[in-house]
Amino acid sequence: LKGGGGSASYRLPLPPSKISQNRQVWDSIKKTVFVLGTGLFVFAAFRNSVTWHLQQFWGASGDFWQTQWGKLHDFFGGNEWALFFLGTMLIPVGVFWFFNAILLFADLSGKPNFITRYRIQIDKNNPVDPVKLRHAIRRVVFNQMFLSTPMVLLMYPVMQWRGNPCGPELPTFHWVLLELSFFGLMEEVLFYYSHRLFHHPTIYKHIHKIHHEWTAPIGVVSVYAHPVEHVFSNMLPPMMGPIILGSHVATTMLWFSLALLITTISHCGYHLPFLPSPEFHDFHHLKFNQCYGVLGVLDHLHGTDQVFKQTKAYERHILLLNFTPLSQSVPDAAKEE
C-alpha cells in the first residue's frame, strides 16, 4: 500500500500450509545433519579405536618382529638375494601348498564333512577326478618352478634399483596398510584387463581355455594356466605394486602370501565360514563371460556382473558368519518340470 509522501510495502502473511511445509523441510534438514553427523562421528571414533588397537598391537610386537628380522638378516650373513628369494618365493609357495594340501584331502576323500558340506557346485568334484588332478598339479608345479622362480629372480635387481628391499629396518604399520591397499587396487586393474583380453575369441582358444577346463574349480587350479597367462595374469598383476612402491621384502612376502591364499579361496569350490566368498569367481568358471576381476570394482563399472547379480549365487556372495551352508539357507530355485 502506498500513501502520503512516502511508500510502504506490506508482505502478505504465508498461508498455514506453506509455513507447515517450510517447518517440515527445515526439520528434515536438521534430522539429516544430525544423522549424518552422528554417523560420521561414530565412524571416526570406530576407525580411530580400531587403528589405535592395531597400533598398540603392532607397537607391542614391533620390537619382537624387528628383533627376529635382525636375527634372520644375521643368519643369512647379509646375503640379501637369499633373503629376497625366501620372502618372495619359498614362503608364499609354502603357504600356498600348505593350504591346498588341506583342500586336496577334502577334494579327493570327500572328508571331513565340516569342509565338504560347504561345496558350491554340489554335484561336481565329489570326489575330484584323480587323473585330471594329477595333470593339473604337474602344470602348477611347472609354472611355479620354471616361470615364477625366474620372474622372482629378475624382480630382485629391479627392487634393488627401486630401493633397499632387504634393509635392516621393517616398515611402519601405517605404511604397510597403505601398501597393501595400493597392491590390491593395482592387481584389480591389471588382472581385470589382462583377464578380459585372454577371453578374446582369438586368444581364448589358444591360451585361456586351459584354465577353463575346470568349470567347477578347486584351490590348486588357481595357478593352472598356460605359461603366457601365468606370466601376464598370475604373476605381473601382484608383482607390479611392490615394484612401483619399492617395497620391503617383508611387505612383499605378506602380500604374495595373501594373494595366493585369496586366489586359492576364490577357486576352492567351498564357501567356508569366516573366509572371503568364492561365489564371484566360481560363477565366472561356470558361465565364462561374467565376473572377470578380483574385487568386483571394475566388473561393476563395466557391467560385466549384470547376469551374476540376477542369480542366487549373488545372494550367496557374502561373508558367511555362521555354520549353516549357504546352499541350504539360500537354496537354488526349484526347477520347473
Side-chain angles (χ1 to χ4, degrees), residues 45-196:
F46 175 76
R47 187 202 64 176
N48 291 337
S49 176
V50 171
T51 304
W52 184 83
H53 284 294
L54 288 173
Q55 280 183 295
Q56 291 297 109
F57 170 77
W58 189 272
S61 60
D63 291 340
F64 171 79
W65 291 115
Q66 183 64 58
T67 301
Q68 303 313 307
W69 173 249
K71 290 179 180 179
L72 188 65
H73 203 281
D74 293 340
F75 176 80
F76 279 88
N79 187 343
E80 295 190 350
W81 179 90
L83 273 173
F84 187 83
F85 188 71
L86 174 70
T88 56
M89 187 66 195
L90 295 183
I91 291 178
V93 169
V95 169
F96 173 84
W97 282 109
F98 175 79
F99 188 48
N100 273 285
I102 299 171
L103 294 173
L104 283 171
F105 179 81
D107 294 331
L108 287 167
S109 67
K111 300 175 182 178
N113 180 256
F114 68 77
I115 291 179
T116 59
R117 67 197 296 255
Y118 297 102
R119 183 177 281 113
I120 296 172
Q121 299 186 43
I122 298 173
D123 57 336
K124 303 288 181 66
N125 297 327
N126 192 19
V128 69
D129 181 353
V131 176
K132 188 178 180 182
L133 177 61
R134 282 196 295 270
H135 174 71
I137 289 177
R138 282 196 295 268
R139 182 177 285 273
V140 169
V141 172
F142 174 87
N143 285 345
Q144 289 180 331
M145 289 186 63
F146 298 105
L147 297 174
S148 297
T149 300
M151 291 186 74
V152 166
L153 295 178
L154 290 172
M155 186 183 180
Y156 177 63
V158 176
M159 295 296 284
Q160 278 192 312
W161 171 70
R162 289 289 296 115
N164 186 13
C166 299
E169 186 173 343
L170 293 176
T172 64
F173 170 72
H174 281 96
W175 182 244
V176 170
L177 289 183
L178 182 63
E179 284 186 298
L180 291 176
S181 300
F182 177 78
F183 298 163
L185 292 174
M186 180 63 63
E187 183 186 35
E188 169 73 0
V189 172
L190 295 178
F191 180 78
Y192 179 87
Y193 291 113
S194 64
H195 191 189
R196 284 202 71 176

Side-chain angles (χ1 to χ4, degrees), residues 285-302:
H285 274 260
L286 187 64
K287 299 299 182 181
F288 296 91
N289 61 352
Q290 289 280 297
C291 309
Y292 295 99
V294 179
L295 302 175
V297 176
L298 290 175
D299 284 284
H300 177 74
L301 291 176
H302 290 290

Side-chain angles (χ1 to χ4, degrees), residues 34-52:
F34 175 77
V35 171
L36 290 177
T38 303
L40 288 172
F41 176 78
V42 171
F43 173 76
F46 175 76
R47 187 202 64 176
N48 291 337
S49 176
V50 171
T51 304
W52 184 83

Side-chain angles (χ1 to χ4, degrees), residues 200-212:
H200 190 280
T202 57
I203 300 176
Y204 177 85
K205 60 184 178 181
H206 299 294
I207 296 177
H208 193 50
K209 187 177 180 179
I210 292 174
H211 185 68
H212 276 282

